[in-house]
Amino acid sequence: MRIISGYFSALMMFNSVSLQIIPPGIEQKVVDRIKSTGIDVSDIQNRVHDFAEEWHRFKANFNKSYSILGESARKMTWQDNFLRVIKHNEEAKQGLHSYTLKVNHLADMTLKDYLQSLIRLLKSMRRKGEEDLLGVPFHNASEIPEELDWRERGFKGKVWNQLDCGSCYAFTVVSIVEGQIFKKTGELKYLSTQQVLDCSKSTGNMGCRGGSLRNTLRYVQENGLIDQSIYPYSAKETTCHYQKAVALYKIKSWNILPSKDEEALKIALATVGPIAVSINASPSTFQLYHDGLYDDASCTSDKLNHAMLLVGYTKDAWILKNWWSDQWGKEGYMLLRRHRNQCGVANFAAYAEV
């Protein structure tokens, strides 16, 4: 069903004097035009007419506070995203999308701010003379399950929030080490992401300004990791407090999987454990993702700027863990379309062994 062009842009009109999202007399015309496309407008009508209450609820739910000037800009961005979510989800009800969006804690961020604050994965560079260790783990094809979820096997730890710090690379590599410890001992251990943030500049990382999976794997192999309780996360760069005597958690080796090979991802996940993956998190739909099978066509495989933890798969989806709190996605997780290298999920993936 064709959506009448222009209704969304009309919804975006903002009267700075009255601070109403839609000038008086316009909202009913807009709602009528939406209704003519076949979309159920009852929820839209109620919510568009009460944006002040929605804004106060948003600030209270996510403990948001702003300067007087800052609030005006943030509110306009939130309104933009609020309406984008409504539009997308109404289209999803019509079968036009396989996933839904929500007004999460990132909804007051412009796409530019979102990319600059959270999306900070750097390109993994080889050292001179260093060769990639490419390969699929040895396996018996008959033992690779059709579906797998490491959470169901007990590896379901905390859902972290990286906050305003580009530390996805650190959370991801630390988590694959935790996954290896769980596989070996059955224990859930929480290791220090802050240690990686503060101390891995020697291998090329840049703290909250970003880092790479390869640089982080090198650092962990050379130095080991300290328990999170000793060296907790603060979401900002501090002085390195590395202590070799308590860096007890080490990896023996790490490997990069063959690029763009989703079957290799499946095999490694089933035989080794949770996998570190690089991904394209650029679209606004990624920022506001809620539930369902994510397959936005604009999420191409030619750009990698975020790191996530691959914890499982279904016949149609990869199950990914993110670092933006349980308010993002489905309690911190995403279902990503399989069999098309969606968002470049198979372009650069790595696993470690302890």
Side-chain angles (χ1 to χ4, degrees):
M1 183 177 297
R2 181 176 172 271
I3 307 300
I4 293 178
S5 63
Y7 85 80
F8 184 55
S9 60
L11 277 172
M12 303 307 295
M13 295 177 67
F14 179 77
N15 186 320
S16 60
V17 176
S18 65
L19 291 181
Q20 294 176 1
I21 184 65
I22 303 173
I26 297 296
E27 65 268 76
Q28 191 57 52
K29 293 179 182 179
V30 172
V31 170
D32 287 344
R33 293 180 69 186
I34 298 172
K35 187 175 181 179
S36 71
T37 69
I39 289 178
D40 180 2
V41 300
S42 57
D43 183 55
I44 298 176
Q45 201 159 14
N46 292 334
R47 299 180 80 182
V48 163
H49 286 212
D50 198 9
F51 268 88
E53 183 178 337
E54 292 278 2
W55 174 241
H56 290 306
R57 185 180 299 119
F58 171 80
K59 291 192 294 180
N61 287 346
F62 299 117
N63 194 28
K64 299 277 188 173
S65 62
Y66 313 94
S67 67
I68 294 176
L69 292 177
E71 176 156 358
S72 178
R74 290 287 189 170
K75 183 178 180 181
M76 290 184 71
T77 297
W78 168 85
Q79 289 171 161
D80 186 343
N81 285 325
F82 188 101
L83 290 170
R84 179 176 288 109
V85 168
I86 291 176
K87 175 180 179 288
H88 178 98
N89 290 348
E90 291 298 328
E91 291 175 348
K93 288 179 183 178
Q94 296 183 352
L96 300 179
H97 306 292
S98 58
Y99 61 96
T100 57
L101 307 179
K102 69 176 176 180
V103 182
N104 60 26
H105 61 301
L106 307 179
D108 61 346
M109 300 177 74
T110 64
L111 185 61
K112 180 180 179 181
D113 289 340
Y114 156 75
L115 294 173
Q116 289 180 341
S117 298
L118 298 176
I119 312 303
R120 306 291 296 182
L121 183 69
L122 304 179
K123 185 176 180 180
S124 289
M125 304 295 290
R126 286 194 295 267
R127 287 174 174 170
K128 186 176 181 180
E130 180 182 65
E131 295 184 5
D132 276 332
L133 300 174
L134 298 174
V136 179
F138 178 78
H139 64 284
N140 183 336
S142 64
E143 295 178 355
I144 305 300
E146 283 300 307
E147 297 188 345
L148 171 68
D149 189 339
W150 277 96
R151 298 173 299 176
E152 294 177 355
R153 298 186 178 191
F155 185 63
K156 189 176 182 180
K158 296 178 182 178
V159 177
W160 298 97
N161 189 352
Q162 69 183 71
L163 299 172
D164 190 18
C165 176
S167 53
C168 63
Y169 65 96
F171 276 107
T172 301
V173 171
V174 167
S175 292
I176 64 171
V177 179
E178 292 170 347
Q180 287 296 293
I181 293 171
F182 173 80
K183 182 185 174 188
K184 193 172 185 178
T185 67
E187 294 183 76
L188 281 173
K189 291 281 188 182
Y190 297 112
L191 307 182
S192 179
T193 300
Q194 189 66 38
Q195 175 196 342
V196 174
L197 201 63
D198 294 340
C199 306
S200 65
K201 293 179 181 179
S202 60
T203 58
N205 288 335
M206 300 173 65
C208 282
R209 292 175 294 159
S212 80
L213 296 180
R214 188 193 300 273
N215 292 345
T216 308
L217 286 162
R218 284 195 203 111
Y219 172 79
V220 174
Q221 184 174 30
E222 294 169 3
N223 298 277
L225 288 170
I226 297 171
D227 194 282
Q228 197 271 154
S229 63
I230 299 174
Y231 203 158
Y233 186 65
S234 65
K236 59 184 178 181
E237 296 174 50
T238 62
T239 302
C240 177
H241 298 294
Y242 175 75
Q243 301 175 59
K244 186 175 181 179
V246 292
L248 304 177
Y249 304 97
K250 305 179 184 297
I251 58 176
K252 294 178 181 177
S253 63
W254 52 272
N255 293 273
I256 307 300
L257 288 169
S259 182
K260 303 178 182 179
D261 188 342
E262 289 194 67
E263 185 64 19
L265 278 185
K266 176 182 175 181
I267 292 168
L269 192 58
T271 57
V272 177
I275 305 296
V277 297
S278 305
I279 203 163
N280 178 6
S282 300
S284 60
T285 52
F286 201 106
Q287 174 185 355
L288 302 172
Y289 169 79
H290 179 210
D291 197 6
L293 189 57
Y294 186 77
D295 61 356
D296 189 334
S298 70
C299 196
T300 59
S301 62
D302 59 355
K303 178 188 295 185
L304 301 176
N305 53 19
H306 187 53
M308 299 174 76
L309 184 70
L310 184 62
V311 298
Y313 55 85
T314 68
K315 292 179 181 179
D316 300 314
W318 296 113
I319 305 170
L320 293 160
K321 183 178 184 180
N322 206 356
W323 321 112
W324 300 342
S325 88
D326 60 4
Q327 297 298 321
W328 180 89
K330 186 72 170 179
E331 298 180 338
Y333 291 83
M334 166 183 263
L335 294 177
L336 182 74
R337 176 81 69 180
R338 280 182 64 191
H339 309 302
R340 60 172 67 169
N341 195 25
Q342 182 72 40
C343 305
V345 65
N347 282 15
F348 191 94
Y351 66 89
E353 294 182 291
V354 298

mmCIF file of all heavy atoms in Angstrom, residues 306-330:
data_model
loop_
_atom_site.group_PDB
_atom_site.id
_atom_site.type_symbol
_atom_site.label_atom_id
_atom_site.label_comp_id
_atom_site.label_asym_id
_atom_site.label_seq_id
_atom_site.Cartn_x
_atom_site.Cartn_y
_atom_site.Cartn_z
ATOM 1 N N HIS A 306 31.188 -0.568 14.295
ATOM 2 C CA HIS A 306 30.723 -0.939 15.631
ATOM 3 C C HIS A 306 31.064 -2.408 15.878
ATOM 4 O O HIS A 306 31.153 -3.198 14.936
ATOM 5 C CB HIS A 306 29.211 -0.707 15.726
ATOM 6 C CG HIS A 306 28.645 -0.899 17.103
ATOM 7 N ND1 HIS A 306 29.146 -0.254 18.219
ATOM 8 C CD2 HIS A 306 27.611 -1.667 17.559
ATOM 9 C CE1 HIS A 306 28.435 -0.606 19.287
ATOM 10 N NE2 HIS A 306 27.506 -1.467 18.911
ATOM 11 N N ALA A 307 31.261 -2.770 17.150
ATOM 12 C CA ALA A 307 31.567 -4.149 17.505
ATOM 13 C C ALA A 307 30.485 -4.693 18.434
ATOM 14 O O ALA A 307 30.036 -4.004 19.352
ATOM 15 C CB ALA A 307 32.933 -4.239 18.188
ATOM 16 N N MET A 308 30.091 -5.937 18.182
ATOM 17 C CA MET A 308 29.061 -6.596 18.978
ATOM 18 C C MET A 308 29.468 -8.043 19.232
ATOM 19 O O MET A 308 30.397 -8.565 18.612
ATOM 20 C CB MET A 308 27.705 -6.545 18.267
ATOM 21 C CG MET A 308 27.193 -5.132 18.018
ATOM 22 S SD MET A 308 25.664 -5.065 17.029
ATOM 23 C CE MET A 308 24.444 -5.556 18.259
ATOM 24 N N LEU A 309 28.734 -8.683 20.124
ATOM 25 C CA LEU A 309 29.010 -10.073 20.476
ATOM 26 C C LEU A 309 27.971 -10.971 19.838
ATOM 27 O O LEU A 309 26.765 -10.807 20.071
ATOM 28 C CB LEU A 309 28.987 -10.251 21.994
ATOM 29 C CG LEU A 309 29.356 -11.647 22.512
ATOM 30 C CD1 LEU A 309 30.849 -11.912 22.296
ATOM 31 C CD2 LEU A 309 29.000 -11.782 23.995
ATOM 32 N N LEU A 310 28.412 -11.925 19.043
ATOM 33 C CA LEU A 310 27.512 -12.900 18.438
ATOM 34 C C LEU A 310 27.329 -14.060 19.404
ATOM 35 O O LEU A 310 28.297 -14.743 19.755
ATOM 36 C CB LEU A 310 28.098 -13.395 17.111
ATOM 37 C CG LEU A 310 27.256 -14.350 16.281
ATOM 38 C CD1 LEU A 310 25.952 -13.702 15.851
ATOM 39 C CD2 LEU A 310 28.052 -14.805 15.045
ATOM 40 N N VAL A 311 26.078 -14.279 19.852
ATOM 41 C CA VAL A 311 25.830 -15.302 20.879
ATOM 42 C C VAL A 311 24.955 -16.447 20.389
ATOM 43 O O VAL A 311 24.753 -17.421 21.117
ATOM 44 C CB VAL A 311 25.181 -14.692 22.144
ATOM 45 C CG1 VAL A 311 26.096 -13.663 22.775
ATOM 46 C CG2 VAL A 311 23.811 -14.103 21.841
ATOM 47 N N GLY A 312 24.426 -16.352 19.171
ATOM 48 C CA GLY A 312 23.578 -17.441 18.716
ATOM 49 C C GLY A 312 23.018 -17.201 17.331
ATOM 50 O O GLY A 312 23.303 -16.188 16.680
ATOM 51 N N TYR A 313 22.210 -18.152 16.880
ATOM 52 C CA TYR A 313 21.563 -18.029 15.573
ATOM 53 C C TYR A 313 20.305 -18.889 15.526
ATOM 54 O O TYR A 313 20.172 -19.892 16.230
ATOM 55 C CB TYR A 313 22.508 -18.440 14.437
ATOM 56 C CG TYR A 313 23.101 -19.829 14.567
ATOM 57 C CD1 TYR A 313 22.404 -20.951 14.102
ATOM 58 C CD2 TYR A 313 24.348 -20.042 15.151
ATOM 59 C CE1 TYR A 313 22.952 -22.233 14.220
ATOM 60 C CE2 TYR A 313 24.893 -21.302 15.277
ATOM 61 C CZ TYR A 313 24.190 -22.403 14.805
ATOM 62 O OH TYR A 313 24.725 -23.667 14.926
ATOM 63 N N THR A 314 19.347 -18.435 14.731
ATOM 64 C CA THR A 314 18.189 -19.232 14.368
ATOM 65 C C THR A 314 18.344 -19.561 12.886
ATOM 66 O O THR A 314 19.380 -19.251 12.280
ATOM 67 C CB THR A 314 16.878 -18.454 14.592
ATOM 68 O OG1 THR A 314 16.807 -17.369 13.651
ATOM 69 C CG2 THR A 314 16.816 -17.878 16.012
ATOM 70 N N LYS A 315 17.339 -20.140 12.278
ATOM 71 C CA LYS A 315 17.434 -20.455 10.852
ATOM 72 C C LYS A 315 17.519 -19.198 10.003
ATOM 73 O O LYS A 315 18.088 -19.216 8.913
ATOM 74 C CB LYS A 315 16.245 -21.316 10.424
ATOM 75 C CG LYS A 315 16.270 -22.716 11.038
ATOM 76 C CD LYS A 315 15.066 -23.537 10.607
ATOM 77 C CE LYS A 315 15.109 -24.920 11.252
ATOM 78 N NZ LYS A 315 13.930 -25.744 10.871
ATOM 79 N N ASP A 316 16.956 -18.100 10.521
ATOM 80 C CA ASP A 316 16.905 -16.860 9.737
ATOM 81 C C ASP A 316 17.712 -15.708 10.312
ATOM 82 O O ASP A 316 17.900 -14.702 9.642
ATOM 83 C CB ASP A 316 15.457 -16.389 9.602
ATOM 84 C CG ASP A 316 14.573 -17.411 8.916
ATOM 85 O OD1 ASP A 316 14.995 -17.947 7.878
ATOM 86 O OD2 ASP A 316 13.464 -17.679 9.426
ATOM 87 N N ALA A 317 18.162 -15.826 11.567
ATOM 88 C CA ALA A 317 18.732 -14.651 12.240
ATOM 89 C C ALA A 317 19.992 -14.966 13.021
ATOM 90 O O ALA A 317 20.154 -16.072 13.559
ATOM 91 C CB ALA A 317 17.687 -14.041 13.185
ATOM 92 N N TRP A 318 20.855 -13.968 13.099
ATOM 93 C CA TRP A 318 21.964 -13.964 14.050
ATOM 94 C C TRP A 318 21.478 -13.266 15.316
ATOM 95 O O TRP A 318 20.730 -12.290 15.236
ATOM 96 C CB TRP A 318 23.163 -13.205 13.494
ATOM 97 C CG TRP A 318 23.789 -13.811 12.274
ATOM 98 C CD1 TRP A 318 23.809 -13.288 11.018
ATOM 99 C CD2 TRP A 318 24.494 -15.055 12.202
ATOM 100 N NE1 TRP A 318 24.470 -14.125 10.166
ATOM 101 C CE2 TRP A 318 24.916 -15.223 10.861
ATOM 102 C CE3 TRP A 318 24.816 -16.034 13.133
ATOM 103 C CZ2 TRP A 318 25.622 -16.332 10.433
ATOM 104 C CZ3 TRP A 318 25.530 -17.152 12.708
ATOM 105 C CH2 TRP A 318 25.928 -17.298 11.383
ATOM 106 N N ILE A 319 21.916 -13.746 16.477
ATOM 107 C CA ILE A 319 21.551 -13.135 17.755
ATOM 108 C C ILE A 319 22.768 -12.374 18.266
ATOM 109 O O ILE A 319 23.818 -12.977 18.529
ATOM 110 C CB ILE A 319 21.115 -14.189 18.785
ATOM 111 C CG1 ILE A 319 19.981 -15.041 18.220
ATOM 112 C CG2 ILE A 319 20.680 -13.518 20.083
ATOM 113 C CD1 ILE A 319 19.646 -16.262 19.075
ATOM 114 N N LEU A 320 22.633 -11.059 18.408
ATOM 115 C CA LEU A 320 23.758 -10.203 18.755
ATOM 116 C C LEU A 320 23.505 -9.454 20.052
ATOM 117 O O LEU A 320 22.394 -8.987 20.308
ATOM 118 C CB LEU A 320 23.991 -9.178 17.636
ATOM 119 C CG LEU A 320 24.472 -9.752 16.300
ATOM 120 C CD1 LEU A 320 24.190 -8.782 15.182
ATOM 121 C CD2 LEU A 320 25.959 -10.061 16.370
ATOM 122 N N LYS A 321 24.544 -9.327 20.851
ATOM 123 C CA LYS A 321 24.475 -8.557 22.093
ATOM 124 C C LYS A 321 25.150 -7.216 21.885
ATOM 125 O O LYS A 321 26.249 -7.132 21.340
ATOM 126 C CB LYS A 321 25.172 -9.313 23.232
ATOM 127 C CG LYS A 321 25.078 -8.606 24.590
ATOM 128 C CD LYS A 321 25.752 -9.423 25.694
ATOM 129 C CE LYS A 321 25.576 -8.773 27.055
ATOM 130 N NZ LYS A 321 26.234 -9.554 28.134
ATOM 131 N N ASN A 322 24.480 -6.168 22.358
ATOM 132 C CA ASN A 322 25.009 -4.817 22.226
ATOM 133 C C ASN A 322 25.388 -4.256 23.592
ATOM 134 O O ASN A 322 25.156 -4.897 24.622
ATOM 135 C CB ASN A 322 23.968 -3.917 21.542
ATOM 136 C CG ASN A 322 24.606 -2.749 20.809
ATOM 137 O OD1 ASN A 322 25.821 -2.537 20.853
ATOM 138 N ND2 ASN A 322 23.791 -1.967 20.125
ATOM 139 N N TRP A 323 25.931 -3.022 23.592
ATOM 140 C CA TRP A 323 26.485 -2.410 24.815
ATOM 141 C C TRP A 323 25.796 -1.091 25.129
ATOM 142 O O TRP A 323 26.406 -0.187 25.656
ATOM 143 C CB TRP A 323 27.998 -2.209 24.635
ATOM 144 C CG TRP A 323 28.639 -3.345 23.926
ATOM 145 C CD1 TRP A 323 29.193 -3.344 22.684
ATOM 146 C CD2 TRP A 323 28.735 -4.692 24.395
ATOM 147 N NE1 TRP A 323 29.631 -4.600 22.351
ATOM 148 C CE2 TRP A 323 29.368 -5.456 23.386
ATOM 149 C CE3 TRP A 323 28.354 -5.338 25.577
ATOM 150 C CZ2 TRP A 323 29.614 -6.813 23.508
ATOM 151 C CZ3 TRP A 323 28.597 -6.695 25.702
ATOM 152 C CH2 TRP A 323 29.233 -7.414 24.674
ATOM 153 N N TRP A 324 24.492 -1.007 24.807
ATOM 154 C CA TRP A 324 23.748 0.235 24.986
ATOM 155 C C TRP A 324 22.630 0.080 26.007
ATOM 156 O O TRP A 324 21.605 0.743 25.902
ATOM 157 C CB TRP A 324 23.196 0.716 23.643
ATOM 158 C CG TRP A 324 24.268 0.986 22.625
ATOM 159 C CD1 TRP A 324 25.600 1.180 22.864
ATOM 160 C CD2 TRP A 324 24.106 1.086 21.214
ATOM 161 N NE1 TRP A 324 26.282 1.401 21.693
ATOM 162 C CE2 TRP A 324 25.390 1.350 20.653
ATOM 163 C CE3 TRP A 324 23.013 0.990 20.357
ATOM 164 C CZ2 TRP A 324 25.593 1.505 19.285
ATOM 165 C CZ3 TRP A 324 23.211 1.145 18.997
ATOM 166 C CH2 TRP A 324 24.488 1.404 18.466
ATOM 167 N N SER A 325 22.794 -0.781 26.965
ATOM 168 C CA SER A 325 21.843 -1.053 28.048
ATOM 169 C C SER A 325 20.694 -1.928 27.565
ATOM 170 O O SER A 325 20.507 -2.131 26.352
ATOM 171 C CB SER A 325 21.309 0.227 28.698
ATOM 172 O OG SER A 325 20.151 0.710 28.027
ATOM 173 N N ASP A 326 19.887 -2.384 28.499
ATOM 174 C CA ASP A 326 18.745 -3.228 28.146
ATOM 175 C C ASP A 326 17.573 -2.401 27.619
ATOM 176 O O ASP A 326 16.520 -2.959 27.274
ATOM 177 C CB ASP A 326 18.303 -4.085 29.331
ATOM 178 C CG ASP A 326 17.886 -3.255 30.545
ATOM 179 O OD1 ASP A 326 17.870 -2.007 30.454
ATOM 180 O OD2 ASP A 326 17.583 -3.859 31.585
ATOM 181 N N GLN A 327 17.745 -1.073 27.524
ATOM 182 C CA GLN A 327 16.719 -0.221 26.947
ATOM 183 C C GLN A 327 16.792 -0.212 25.418
ATOM 184 O O GLN A 327 15.863 0.259 24.759
ATOM 185 C CB GLN A 327 16.846 1.214 27.474
ATOM 186 C CG GLN A 327 16.648 1.339 28.965
ATOM 187 C CD GLN A 327 15.260 0.921 29.411
ATOM 188 O OE1 GLN A 327 14.273 1.213 28.736
ATOM 189 N NE2 GLN A 327 15.177 0.229 30.536
ATOM 190 N N TRP A 328 17.879 -0.708 24.879
ATOM 191 C CA TRP A 328 18.029 -0.793 23.429
ATOM 192 C C TRP A 328 17.660 -2.202 22.976
ATOM 193 O O TRP A 328 17.991 -3.192 23.638
ATOM 194 C CB TRP A 328 19.474 -0.487 23.024
ATOM 195 C CG TRP A 328 19.703 -0.560 21.532
ATOM 196 C CD1 TRP A 328 19.547 0.460 20.639
ATOM 197 C CD2 TRP A 328 20.121 -1.702 20.780
ATOM 198 N NE1 TRP A 328 19.844 0.010 19.365
ATOM 199 C CE2 TRP A 328 20.191 -1.312 19.429
ATOM 200 C CE3 TRP A 328 20.434 -3.023 21.112
ATOM 201 C CZ2 TRP A 328 20.562 -2.186 18.409
ATOM 202 C CZ3 TRP A 328 20.803 -3.908 20.105
ATOM 203 C CH2 TRP A 328 20.870 -3.480 18.768
ATOM 204 N N GLY A 329 16.998 -2.295 21.838
ATOM 205 C CA GLY A 329 16.690 -3.602 21.281
ATOM 206 C C GLY A 329 15.781 -4.421 22.176
ATOM 207 O O GLY A 329 14.990 -3.906 22.952
ATOM 208 N N LYS A 330 15.917 -5.734 22.068
ATOM 209 C CA LYS A 330 15.150 -6.664 22.897
ATOM 210 C C LYS A 330 15.985 -6.975 24.129
ATOM 211 O O LYS A 330 16.777 -7.903 24.151
ATOM 212 C CB LYS A 330 14.858 -7.943 22.104
ATOM 213 C CG LYS A 330 13.942 -8.935 22.798
ATOM 214 C CD LYS A 330 12.513 -8.450 22.850
ATOM 215 C CE LYS A 330 11.594 -9.570 23.326
ATOM 216 N NZ LYS A 330 10.185 -9.140 23.408
#
